């Protein structure tokens, strides 16, 4: 019997080794012959062979057919069609790349030292310093002299078993990226096309020449691909082949010293295979220069995962004179600096210090507990729509998952996910959470989120219609399946269940009955689950707010959905252009409703969070803190910034703010109140301790400006460090800002400064500023934004007048601390 179905490839990188490995495993469950045909290339391949699948050269949006022939072809066709539609799109992802399209401004603080720079393509960010070391390459052809004998089949099989064991060890102990890439290599050496290709030749060829012949054939096939991504897989074929050759003929390399790093190094290589990269000491590997690698190379993917700055497009001959000498690699600027002078080294050493300081500061906010200035804690969690988002959410500082929108598992498919699929998704998130709470919202489908396979009726007003908990009685088996999957997964972490669209006590009591039924079934089957699993509800229907005290007797927690709550409370469809201007969560009615829910729930000892879009609004954050919420959740990228903002918020002041907002009569009054509060909170003082350096070890004028401007980036006062520095140097080009008597006042009025700032450096040793200015040991830099009018000239003039007086100059030099310097300038200039 024969069956077939067509599909369009939706994988961003096409069918390369990793997704081919996933597809091959699905196909191997069936006895029938399965063939994939790519209609763009007319290439066909055995779907039970990773290499044959890769050889079809299937790219994003290619139309393909899977053809089934054999006894179980009908069953296989149905299963694979479901797999292709539901799971295959998630077995690969668009790769993070370092954009090379943006304008790169090479800073004057570097260029003025006349560095020797070689420009490359930026692949993995960061700055590295070390000895430029050429990676010795293993030439596969050196194995070609091996003679043929009667033991070739045994030699090949022993080599394959040994390499498989090594790869499995890496898979068992490696990081996520190591596991993914190594699994693809394991699939290659276990691939039927690869094994058959080699074994067929063993009767007349040595194992070495058989492997080399198959390697060359496969590499040639991949090199013809229209996809640069698939062309880069040539290196993976060579990698696996070299591992097999080395295992089969260990004596061939005996006379070659194994390549290893002996000191901090920048490694340069024409080709660097993933296994060679994994074999390098990461503590000594400070950067990579790869001649031919692209952004989707598996080696580059690993470099990003290990935070190794990487450039490509630089030939070894371009920097041959620098081999075995110290170099700097700046993958942000896209340059390799060779033969660095003392001044160039100073620039890059300072750049490394600035980069490490910024990284440490960001990491500090991301992974510290969210706490206000006066010690009040509030949980900051992430909202996610699928399990693959979880790792990134926690990496960015999420203290939990405030909303896991499970309906995304049910959408854009022809049938509902089964219990096992759901269980795996929930387990993946709970594992990533590592003990942090995960609120799993049961499916909010129907109404505004129609599902074809449920055949729900068309509705004129879906937001108020047949959706979420309201459809559960009709689709009881579906609801029970989801509850079962969540309960089973609950033993793997701190799971909580949340029910959407609850509007009455009757509904939540019915849900609790169903939950008990599922628990009893699991108990009978002797399947473990968390007996203390908490149950909560979304507060999005206004009726709930008036009986929160009654709900407190039924549930463990509440989460306010500010989006739906606002539109239901105000009777405004936020997607209707005619009335959307009326949609505003700052309506006094909403704020009073928020106050009612939080106050009542806390009276009964219940926890309250907010998971709508309102939580990520920086202007509204003080209001939400003042409302007394226990948690707010948002998209992961906003978490660190929110935590940083919380450190500048006073809880007591926020409570007063919220009370005042609840007394406002109109939205405009609330917005005006918040604007005033936001303006006061967001305008940073012009002169602060973090921008003052005592006994600064800056070696020259260039380093002073680099360090002071770079520090403004660390302090969150500019988002455009290089462009702000250009503005400072543009002003210097007009005439020197050295004033004599050892003082200089570099200054600019710039679009690239967010918060007007005065930066100060009292140097431990005087430096040359300009030939007509003499030596300088005290620098006061003014970087003021253009909204400040002529403020920069007023401050400049005020400083210039004061610096005429020796007593003022001496007082600044004799000040023992940044605070003392700030006090003197503030008093004398009147800031």
């Amino acid at each position: 019997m024969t069956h077939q179905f067509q599909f369009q490839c939706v994988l961003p990188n096409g069918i390369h080794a990793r997704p081919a490995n996933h597809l091959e495993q699905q196909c191997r469950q069936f006895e029938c012959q399965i063939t994939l045909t790519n209609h763009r290339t007319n290439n066909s391949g055995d779907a039970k062979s990773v290499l044959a699948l890769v050889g079809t050269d299937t790219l994003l949006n290619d139309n393909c057919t899977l053809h089934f022939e054999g006894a179980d072809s009908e069953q296989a066709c149905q299963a694979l069609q479901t797999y292709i539609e539901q799971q295959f799109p998630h077995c690969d992802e668009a790769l993070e790349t370092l954009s090379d399209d943006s304008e790169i401004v090479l800073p004057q603080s570097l260029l003025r030292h006349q560095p020797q720079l070689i420009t490359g393509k930026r692949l993995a960010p960061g700055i590295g310093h070390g000895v430029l070391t050429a990676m010795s390459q293993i030439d596969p052809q050196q194995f070609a002299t091996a003679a043929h004998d009667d033991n070739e089949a045994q030699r090949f099989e022993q080599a394959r078993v040994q390499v498989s064991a090594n790869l499995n060890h890496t898979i068992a102990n490696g990081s996520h990226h190591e596991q993914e890439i190594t699994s693809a290599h394991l699939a290659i050496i276990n691939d039927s096309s690869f094994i058959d290709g080699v074994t067929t030749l063993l009767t007349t060829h040595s194992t070495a020449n058989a492997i080399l012949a198959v390697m060359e054939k496969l590499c040639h096939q991949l090199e013809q691909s229209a996809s640069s991504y698939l062309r880069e897989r040539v290196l993976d074929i060579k990698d696996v082949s070299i591992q097999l050759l080395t295992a089969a003929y260990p004596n061939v390399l005996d006379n070659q010293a194994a390549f290893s790093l002996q000191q901090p190094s920048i490694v340069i290589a024409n080709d660097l295979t993933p296994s060679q990269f994994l074999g390098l000491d990461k503590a000594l590997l400070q950067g990579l220069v790869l001649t031919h690698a692209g952004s989707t190379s598996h080696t580059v993917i690993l470099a990003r995962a290990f935070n190794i700055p990487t450039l490509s497009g630089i030939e070894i001959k371009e920097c041959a004179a620098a081999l075995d000498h110290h170099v700097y690699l700046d993958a942000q600027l896209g340059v390799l600096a060779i033969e660095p002078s003392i001044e160039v080294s100073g620039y890059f050493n300072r750049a490394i210090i600035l980069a490490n300081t910024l990284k440490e500061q960001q990491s500090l906010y991301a992974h510290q507990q969210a706490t206000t200035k006066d010690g009040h804690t509030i949980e900051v969690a992430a909202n996610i729509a699928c399990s693959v988002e979880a790792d990134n959410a926690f990496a960015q500082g999420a203290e939990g998952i405030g909303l896991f929108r499970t309906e995304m598992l049910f959408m854009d498919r022809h049938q509902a996910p089964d219990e096992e699929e759901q269980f795996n998704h929930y387990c993946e998130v709970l594992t990533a959470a590592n003990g942090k709470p995960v609120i799993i919202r049961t499916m909010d489908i129907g109404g505004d989120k129609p599902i074809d396979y449920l055949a729900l009726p068309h509705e004129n007003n879906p937001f108020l219609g047949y959706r979420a908990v309201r459809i559960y009685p009709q689709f009881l088996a579906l609801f029970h399946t989801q509850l079962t999957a969540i309960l089973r997964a609950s033993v793997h972490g701190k799971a909580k269940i949340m029910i959407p669209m609850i509007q009455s006590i009757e509904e939540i009591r019915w849900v609790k009955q169903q939950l008990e039924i599922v628990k009893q079934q699991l108990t009978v089957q002797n399947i473990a689950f968390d007996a203390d699993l908490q149950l909560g509800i979304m507060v999005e229907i206004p009726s709930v707010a008036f009986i929160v005290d009654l709900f407190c007797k039924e549930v463990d927690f509440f989460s306010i959905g500010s989006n739906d709550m606002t539109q239901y409370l105000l009777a405004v469809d936020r997607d209707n252009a005619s009335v959307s201007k009326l949609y505003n969560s700052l309506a006094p009615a909403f704020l009073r409703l928020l106050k009612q829910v939080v106050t009542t729930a806390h009276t009964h000892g219940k926890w309250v969070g907010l998971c709508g879009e309102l939580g990520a609004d920086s202007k509204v954050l003080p209001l939400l803190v003042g409302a007394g919420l226990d948690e707010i959740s948002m998209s992961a990228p906003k978490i660190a910034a929110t935590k940083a903002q919380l450190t500048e918020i006073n809880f007591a002041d926020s409570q007063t703010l919220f009370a005042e907002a609840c007394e406002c009569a109109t939205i405009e009054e609330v917005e005006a109140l918040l604007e005033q509060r936001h303006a006061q909170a967001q305008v940073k003082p012009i002169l602060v301790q973090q921008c003052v350096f005592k006994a600064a070890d800056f070696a020259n004028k260039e380093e002073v400006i680099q360090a002071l401007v770079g520090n403004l980036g660390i302090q969150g006062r500019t988002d455009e460090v290089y462009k702000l520095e250009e503005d400072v140097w543009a002003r210097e080009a007009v005439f020197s800002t050295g004033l004599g008597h050892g003082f200089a006042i570099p200054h600019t009025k710039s679009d690239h400064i967010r918060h007007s700032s005065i930066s100060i450096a009292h140097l431990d040793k005087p430096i040359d500023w300009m030939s007509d200015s003499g030596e300088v040991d005290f620098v006061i830099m003014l970087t003021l934004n253009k909204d400040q009018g002529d403020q920069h000239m007023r401050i400049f003039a005020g400083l210039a007048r004061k610096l005429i007086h020796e007593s003022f100059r001496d007082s600044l030099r004799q000040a023992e601390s940044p605070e003392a310097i700030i006090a003197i300038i503030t008093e004398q200039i009147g800031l």
Side-chain angles (χ1 to χ4, degrees):
M1 297 179 64
T2 62
H3 294 82
Q4 66 179 36
F5 69 87
Q6 293 188 352
F7 68 96
Q8 186 177 59
C9 179
V10 298
L11 301 178
N13 306 302
I15 300 181
H16 58 93
R18 280 179 286 160
N21 183 28
H22 288 283
L23 181 56
E24 179 255 3
Q25 291 177 12
Q26 295 296 316
C27 292
R28 283 199 172 275
Q29 301 176 53
F30 304 96
E31 296 182 3
C32 62
Q33 181 179 346
I34 307 175
T35 304
L36 185 143
T37 299
N38 179 352
H39 297 296
R40 177 181 59 83
T41 62
N42 290 322
N43 291 343
S44 295
D46 180 3
K48 296 181 182 179
S49 164
V50 170
L51 295 175
L53 286 169
V54 172
T56 63
D57 192 18
T58 299
L59 309 181
L60 175 66
N61 295 326
D62 280 355
N63 292 312
C64 303
T65 295
L66 273 177
H67 180 86
F68 305 81
E69 186 170 354
D72 58 354
S73 60
E74 181 177 6
Q75 178 186 359
C77 182
Q78 292 176 350
L80 266 295
Q81 186 166 4
T82 299
Y83 171 77
I84 291 290
E85 292 170 351
Q86 298 178 7
Q87 298 180 46
F88 196 51
H90 305 295
C91 71
D92 196 29
E93 58 187 15
L95 294 168
E96 175 191 359
T97 60
L98 190 62
S99 172
D100 226 21
D101 299 328
S102 59
E103 178 185 1
I104 301 175
V105 180
L106 292 178
Q108 287 294 316
S109 53
L110 171 61
L111 294 179
R112 287 167 61 91
H113 295 311
Q114 299 181 329
Q116 294 189 49
L117 303 177
I118 301 174
T119 302
K121 181 180 180 181
R122 301 173 294 159
L123 295 181
I127 306 175
H129 171 223
V131 172
L132 186 64
T133 306
M135 178 77 175
S136 56
Q137 305 293 312
I138 297 176
D139 181 4
Q141 294 303 322
Q142 65 185 303
F143 294 89
T145 57
H148 177 269
D149 61 33
D150 294 334
N151 297 319
E152 298 302 337
Q154 181 181 3
R155 179 180 289 111
F156 173 63
E157 185 57 24
Q158 288 176 342
R160 201 172 67 82
V161 169
Q162 179 182 330
V163 175
S164 295
N166 294 339
L167 295 175
N168 278 313
H169 177 77
T170 301
I171 293 170
N173 299 283
S175 66
H176 170 71
H177 288 285
E178 289 177 90
Q179 292 170 346
E180 282 286 301
I181 292 169
T182 306
S183 293
H185 286 189
L186 183 63
I188 291 173
I189 67 168
N190 290 329
D191 185 86
S192 57
S193 295
F194 187 86
I195 295 172
D196 293 345
V198 173
T199 54
T200 299
L201 295 173
L202 290 180
T203 55
T204 56
H205 291 65
S206 67
T207 296
N209 284 302
I211 292 173
L212 289 170
V214 172
M215 179 190 78
E216 290 172 1
K217 176 184 176 181
L218 293 172
C219 288
H220 176 75
Q221 188 177 28
L222 287 174
E223 285 167 348
Q224 307 309 307
S225 172
S227 165
S228 61
Y229 186 90
L230 292 179
R231 292 196 298 272
E232 287 179 356
R233 302 288 75 76
V234 166
L235 200 57
D236 295 289
I237 299 296
K238 289 182 178 179
D239 192 349
V240 169
S241 299
I242 290 172
Q243 291 182 66
L244 287 169
L245 290 167
T246 304
Y249 301 94
N251 295 331
V252 171
L253 301 180
D254 275 353
N255 295 327
Q256 299 182 25
F259 181 84
S260 63
L261 301 179
Q262 305 300 319
Q263 58 191 325
S265 303
I266 305 294
V267 170
I268 184 168
N270 287 325
D271 292 313
L272 186 68
T273 67
S275 63
Q276 288 174 320
F277 174 86
L278 292 174
L280 295 174
D281 185 342
K282 306 306 180 299
L284 297 176
L285 181 61
Q286 302 299 305
L288 284 178
V289 181
L290 305 174
T291 301
H292 302 299
S295 61
T296 57
S297 159
H298 278 167
T299 302
V300 173
I301 293 171
L302 289 170
R304 290 195 203 104
F306 282 92
N307 298 313
I308 304 297
T310 304
L311 296 178
S312 73
I314 298 176
E315 300 283 347
I316 293 180
K317 62 183 179 182
E318 293 182 74
C319 44
L323 289 174
D324 301 321
H325 292 79
H326 283 270
V327 299
Y328 290 89
L329 185 155
D330 189 328
Q332 191 64 38
L333 296 177
V335 297
L336 179 71
I338 62 174
E339 300 183 33
S341 63
I342 293 175
E343 292 78 13
V344 170
S345 295
Y347 168 85
F348 284 109
N349 289 336
R350 181 63 56 185
I352 291 171
I353 292 172
L354 290 168
N356 289 340
T357 303
L358 179 60
K359 183 177 179 180
E360 290 171 6
Q361 184 159 308
Q362 290 175 337
S363 176
L364 175 66
Y365 282 122
H367 299 292
Q368 70 180 11
Q369 185 178 32
T371 308
T372 63
K373 191 175 183 178
D374 52 347
H376 176 75
T377 59
I378 178 171
E379 185 179 312
V380 178
N383 296 334
I384 63 173
C386 56
S387 55
V388 296
E389 296 180 63
D391 281 330
N392 180 57
F394 289 108
Q396 297 197 53
E399 297 176 341
I401 300 299
L403 174 62
F404 182 1
R405 301 183 181 94
T406 63
E407 58 270 15
M408 300 305 173
L409 298 175
F410 294 78
M411 299 175 69
D412 299 322
R413 56 196 299 165
H414 297 298
Q415 64 184 38
D418 61 20
E419 178 187 320
E420 202 63 26
E421 181 183 346
Q422 292 187 59
F423 168 75
N424 288 332
H425 280 288
Y426 305 147
C427 283
E428 186 176 346
V429 177
L430 288 166
T431 300
N434 194 28
K436 297 182 177 72
V438 175
I439 298 178
I440 304 174
R441 185 176 72 181
T442 54
M443 51 188 176
D444 184 4
I445 54 180
D448 63 321
K449 302 184 187 78
I451 302 293
D452 291 340
Y453 54 83
L454 296 186
L456 294 169
H458 173 74
E459 299 180 83
N460 292 328
N461 194 342
F463 287 104
L464 298 178
Y466 194 47
R467 57 177 285 201
V469 70
R470 298 173 180 180
I471 74 168
Y472 293 175
Q474 179 181 350
F475 301 99
L476 190 57
L478 196 65
F479 183 45
H480 279 191
T481 297
Q482 182 170 38
L483 292 178
T484 302
I486 296 173
L487 284 167
R488 286 177 55 204
S490 66
V491 297
H492 295 280
K494 190 177 180 180
K496 301 181 181 182
I497 295 178
M498 182 162 66
I499 311 298
M501 284 295 288
I502 289 287
Q503 60 91 21
S504 68
I505 296 295
E506 291 90 338
E507 283 177 330
I508 194 59
R509 286 179 176 172
W510 178 85
V511 167
K512 292 170 69 175
Q513 289 173 357
Q514 305 313 308
L515 188 59
E516 284 304 313
I517 291 171
V518 173
K519 286 181 177 180
Q520 290 173 14
Q521 292 172 346
L522 290 174
T523 300
V524 170
Q525 298 172 49
N526 199 30
I527 297 175
F529 61 88
D530 181 4
D532 297 321
L533 181 73
Q534 290 191 1
L535 175 68
I537 64 169
M538 287 281 288
V539 180
E540 49 196 336
I541 297 178
S543 62
V544 172
F546 298 99
I547 51 173
V548 171
D549 57 329
L550 300 179
F551 273 105
C552 286
K553 301 175 183 178
E554 306 289 341
V555 301
D556 301 300
F557 67 92
F558 302 90
S559 185
I560 299 168
S562 60
N563 305 337
D564 277 348
M565 175 64 90
T566 299
Q567 69 176 353
Y568 293 150
L569 178 65
L570 304 181
V572 174
D573 180 356
R574 57 188 171 131
D575 295 323
N576 184 331
S578 299
V579 296
S580 59
K581 63 181 179 181
L582 301 175
Y583 175 89
N584 195 318
S585 297
L586 295 181
F590 177 85
L591 298 180
R592 291 190 177 196
L593 196 71
L594 176 62
K595 179 181 180 181
Q596 165 74 10
V597 172
V598 174
T599 301
T600 306
H602 284 177
T603 299
H604 291 79
K606 301 297 182 179
W607 178 96
V608 185
L610 184 141
C611 60
E613 295 174 6
L614 198 64
D617 190 326
S618 61
K619 287 187 179 180
V620 181
L621 183 60
L623 203 63
L624 301 179
V625 172
L629 289 164
D630 300 291
E631 177 249 37
I632 50 175
S633 59
M634 60 199 64
S635 62
K638 297 180 178 179
I639 289 173
T642 298
K643 287 185 173 183
Q645 185 184 348
L646 282 169
T647 63
E648 300 175 357
I649 292 175
N650 186 286
F651 178 52
D653 291 343
S654 296
Q655 288 179 303
T656 301
L657 176 71
F658 182 69
E660 292 175 357
C662 287
E663 294 303 315
C664 289
T666 66
I667 293 172
E668 289 75 14
E669 290 179 17
V670 175
E671 290 178 336
L673 185 67
L674 290 186
E675 282 293 340
Q676 180 184 4
R677 169 65 172 77
H678 185 67
Q680 294 171 347
Q682 291 301 307
V683 174
K684 295 185 177 181
I686 193 170
L687 181 55
V688 295
Q689 179 183 347
Q690 291 82 357
C691 294
V692 179
F693 297 85
K694 281 284 295 177
D697 61 345
F698 308 144
N700 47 59
K701 177 179 180 178
E702 290 76 15
E703 190 173 352
V704 170
I705 293 178
Q706 175 197 9
L708 294 184
V709 175
N711 180 62
L712 293 174
I714 293 171
Q715 302 306 325
R717 291 171 173 258
T718 178
D719 298 320
E720 300 283 357
V721 170
Y722 295 142
K723 291 181 180 179
L724 179 59
E725 185 181 318
E726 280 293 296
D727 290 342
V728 173
W729 281 110
R731 185 66 188 81
E732 286 291 311
V734 177
F735 61 83
S736 172
T737 54
L739 299 183
H741 305 291
F743 279 79
I745 312 180
H747 57 278
T748 185
K749 189 176 182 181
S750 172
D751 287 327
H752 302 120
I753 185 77
R754 289 175 55 198
H755 302 280
S756 292
S757 306
I758 298 177
S759 303
I760 297 173
H762 185 192
L763 309 181
D764 56 0
K765 294 180 181 179
I767 60 172
D768 288 331
W769 195 257
M770 283 289 285
S771 58
D772 60 346
S773 306
E775 289 191 330
V776 163
D777 70 334
F778 210 103
V779 180
I780 305 174
M781 185 177 75
L782 312 180
T783 47
L784 307 176
N785 62 48
K786 291 187 176 180
D787 293 335
Q788 300 295 317
D790 62 352
Q791 183 189 28
H792 81 294
M793 289 309 301
R794 288 189 287 106
I795 296 176
F796 181 88
L799 283 169
R801 285 194 301 269
K802 289 293 181 181
L803 288 171
I804 295 174
H805 303 289
E806 184 178 0
S807 59
F808 179 67
R809 299 194 302 268
D810 289 345
S811 66
L812 289 176
R813 286 193 172 103
Q814 293 167 9
E816 296 182 354
S817 67
E819 295 91 336
I821 292 175
I822 292 172
I824 292 168
I825 291 179
T826 300
E827 178 184 355
Q828 294 295 319
I829 307 301
L831 297 177

